Amino acid sequence: MNPEWLGYVAATLTTLAFVPQAVKTIRSRDTRGISLGMYVLFIVGVVCWFGYGIALRSWPMIVANAITFVLGAIILALKLRHG
Amino acid sequence: MNPEWLGYVAATLTTLAFVPQAVKTIRSRDTRGISLGMYVLFIVGVVCWFGYGIALRSWPMIVANAITFVLGAIILALKLRHG
C-alpha cells in the first residue's frame, strides 16, 4: 500500500491543527499561556519547510506550509499585541 | 547546493519550537489560552508523520516526530489537567 496517503493525512492534520488555536486566540485574546518563543521558532521552521518544498518541487509541502505560516503568523501577531 | 540541510533545519526548528511552550506550560500551568483542539489534531498528525517516516525509513522524520510527540503530549496532558 502506498504510504503517500499517510503523508497527506499527516500534513493536513498538522496544518489544520493551527485553525482551532487561531480561532480561540482571535476570540479570547488570551495569549498569556502561549509561548512567544514557540511561535517565533515554529514560523521560522515553517518558512524553511516552505523553502524545502520549493527546492523539492513538492506542492503538498508548499501548500501545507503556506497555510501553516498564515495561521502561525496570526497567532504570533496576537501574542505580540496582547502579551 | 543540496537542499537536504534546509529540511534538517526546518525539522529541528519545528520540533524544538515546542520546548519553550512545554516549559512555559509546566511552569505557569496557565493553559486557558491554549487550544485543546490544536493539540489533539497536532498529536494525531505527528503520529501520522512518525508512521510515514517509518514507511519511508527516514530517520530524521522518525526522530523529529518522536520528540514532537513527547512535547505535544506533555502540553496536552497539562491542558487536560488544568483546563
Side-chain angles (χ1 to χ4, degrees), chain A residues 6-73:
Chain A
L6 194 51
Y8 285 116
V9 168
T12 305
L13 284 169
T14 49
T15 298
L16 292 185
F18 287 88
V19 171
Q21 181 67 68
V23 168
K24 182 181 180 76
T25 308
I26 289 167
R27 283 190 186 147
S28 71
R29 310 282 167 173
D30 180 355
T31 57
R32 266 166 313 172
I34 290 173
S35 161
L36 178 64
M38 167 172 165
Y39 280 88
V40 169
L41 282 174
F42 195 80
I43 284 177
V44 173
V46 163
V47 168
C48 290
W49 279 123
F50 183 83
Y52 187 52
I54 288 176
L56 299 186
R57 291 186 179 74
S58 160
W59 274 105
M61 212 180 255
I62 292 168
V63 172
N65 285 285
I67 295 169
T68 309
F69 176 82
V70 170
L71 293 168

Side-chain angles (χ1 to χ4, degrees), chain B residues 34-80:
Chain B
I34 290 173
S35 161
L36 179 63
M38 166 172 165
Y39 280 88
V40 170
L41 282 175
F42 195 80
I43 285 176
V44 173
V46 163
V47 168
C48 290
W49 279 124
F50 185 82
Y52 186 53
I54 288 177
L56 299 186
R57 292 186 178 73
S58 160
W59 275 104
M61 212 181 256
I62 292 168
V63 172
N65 285 286
I67 296 169
T68 309
F69 176 81
V70 170
L71 293 168
I74 290 169
I75 298 164
L76 180 59
L78 288 167
K79 174 67 182 175
L80 290 171

